Amino acid sequence: MTTFKTLVAASAGACLLALHAAPAAAQAAWPDKPVTLVVPYSAGGPTDVVARMLAIPMGKSLGQTVVVENTVGAGGTIAPARVAKAAPNGYTLLIHHMGMATAPALYKKLNYDPLKDFEYIGQVMDVPMTLLSRKDFPANNFRELLAHVKTHKDKVTLANAGVGAVSQLCGLLFMNQIGVQLTTVPYKGAGPALNDLMGGQVDLLCDQTTQTAPVIKDGNRVKVFGVTTPRRLPSLGDIPTLDEQGLKGFDVKVWHGVYAPKGTPPAVLEKLNTALRAALQDDMVKHRLAELSSEIAPPEKQTPEGLRTHLAAEIDKWGKVIRAAGVQAD
């Protein structure tokens, strides 16, 4: 005859099994609602372009809509802080460029730690940059540009997407190598900076090809003086590199990665990584990236470990550059 103690023990065991089974079942069903992909910069900017490019194919793979949300401010540090504090359930993600690596050196007080407060999903792509001017800028080639800025110096304005943005870092490196301090004009995002450049409100801008390639190919809205990679770009092959025009060693490429809050379950991270890698093989994405002169990250970097390793190396690299330049964002 079954005793009361036996019934209690059996009931307790069943409850314990149910408790263990519940999280596993929830992870198996994930996702059962839309996933939000947070962008630290304004709509229309280069990182936003990448996010919206990935959202549709990632959503198809996950079986849920991926919603792109722009959380702008503080040089791109508000969005990572928000995602770091989000519930670690895979429904709030971050896409960020190399600003994840430069923020620790730029900010004395940072509300998150890029190496401790996130799980890594994978690296997305490498994006070259271009040096542009307004259409009616006096110089017509790089030699004339150098002569003009060395003569007029701080009367020349150099736009950027805000403190800590890659466009700022590219501008800092440019000024350092030519030995001239220009007047920098920070914007709340690359989109507004490019709009003002095309409108003639500022003189120069160094920005990513995800944003600049279409206006360069248009041929009527800006002047372009060079690309920031050691080799010319296949889709912009007639534009020389800054390196070949005299700025030896000038090499700035922007990389993007996708992150989740620390503690996100491994099964969820695996699904997200699978969705990301599938998106990077999507024909539309590959075609669009080629149009924008961007390169998909190699397979070994599309992994969580690949992104983590690359981020750590970039934090070390850019930390030395920023500290040597004496740049501080706060």
Side-chain angles (χ1 to χ4, degrees), residues 61-304:
S61 180
L62 294 171
Q64 288 288 343
T65 302
V66 175
V67 179
V68 176
E69 187 174 303
N70 303 88
T71 300
V72 182
T77 61
I78 291 178
R82 174 194 160 192
V83 174
K85 294 177 176 63
N89 53 21
Y91 289 106
T92 304
L93 309 176
L94 171 71
I95 182 168
H96 205 341
H97 58 39
M98 56 192 279
M100 278 290 272
T102 59
L106 283 169
Y107 293 88
K108 294 177 182 177
K109 296 180 180 179
L110 200 60
N111 294 327
Y112 59 92
D113 186 325
L115 293 176
K116 294 180 180 178
D117 294 338
F118 298 91
E119 302 290 354
Y120 309 99
I121 296 169
Q123 192 173 327
V124 180
M125 58 194 290
D126 291 322
V127 186
M129 304 185 79
T130 50
L131 180 63
L132 310 175
S133 78
R134 54 185 168 86
K135 183 181 177 182
D136 57 350
F137 192 70
N140 292 306
N141 54 52
F142 188 68
R143 179 180 55 79
E144 292 179 3
L145 170 67
L146 286 182
H148 183 85
V149 298
K150 288 182 178 180
T151 298
H152 297 278
K153 300 180 181 179
D154 59 1
K155 293 180 182 179
V156 179
T157 53
L158 174 63
N160 63 58
V163 176
V166 182
S167 54
Q168 185 204 27
L169 297 172
C170 184
L172 286 173
L173 188 59
F174 174 67
M175 289 187 290
N176 178 265
Q177 289 206 215
I178 65 174
V180 175
Q181 186 64 40
L182 309 179
T183 296
T184 57
V185 183
Y187 285 80
K188 292 183 178 179
L194 182 59
N195 286 337
D196 270 11
L197 184 81
M198 291 189 292
Q201 280 75 48
V202 288
D203 296 321
L204 302 174
L205 172 68
C206 185
D207 202 15
Q208 303 172 52
T209 54
T210 43
Q211 175 155 275
T212 64
V215 299
I216 291 171
K217 291 175 181 178
D218 178 84
N220 296 311
R221 292 184 282 177
V222 296
K223 291 180 180 178
V224 57
F225 295 100
V227 298
T228 66
T229 50
R231 294 183 300 277
R232 294 195 184 197
L233 308 178
S235 64
L236 300 171
D238 58 337
I239 300 174
T241 70
L242 295 179
D243 178 271
E244 70 182 85
Q245 296 182 94
L247 296 188
K248 296 302 180 183
F250 199 99
D251 184 9
V252 181
K253 292 189 291 290
V254 186
W255 54 273
H256 292 74
V258 181
Y259 307 81
K262 189 72 175 179
T264 301
V268 172
L269 293 174
E270 185 176 352
K271 288 185 178 181
L272 286 167
N273 178 256
T274 298
L276 174 62
R277 287 187 287 109
L280 293 176
Q281 292 303 310
D282 180 86
D283 288 339
M284 180 277 293
V285 171
K286 290 195 289 187
H287 176 71
R288 184 74 176 122
L289 289 179
E291 283 186 330
L292 298 174
S293 302
S294 304
E295 296 181 349
I296 294 173
E300 65 272 13
K301 289 187 176 181
Q302 295 176 22
T303 65

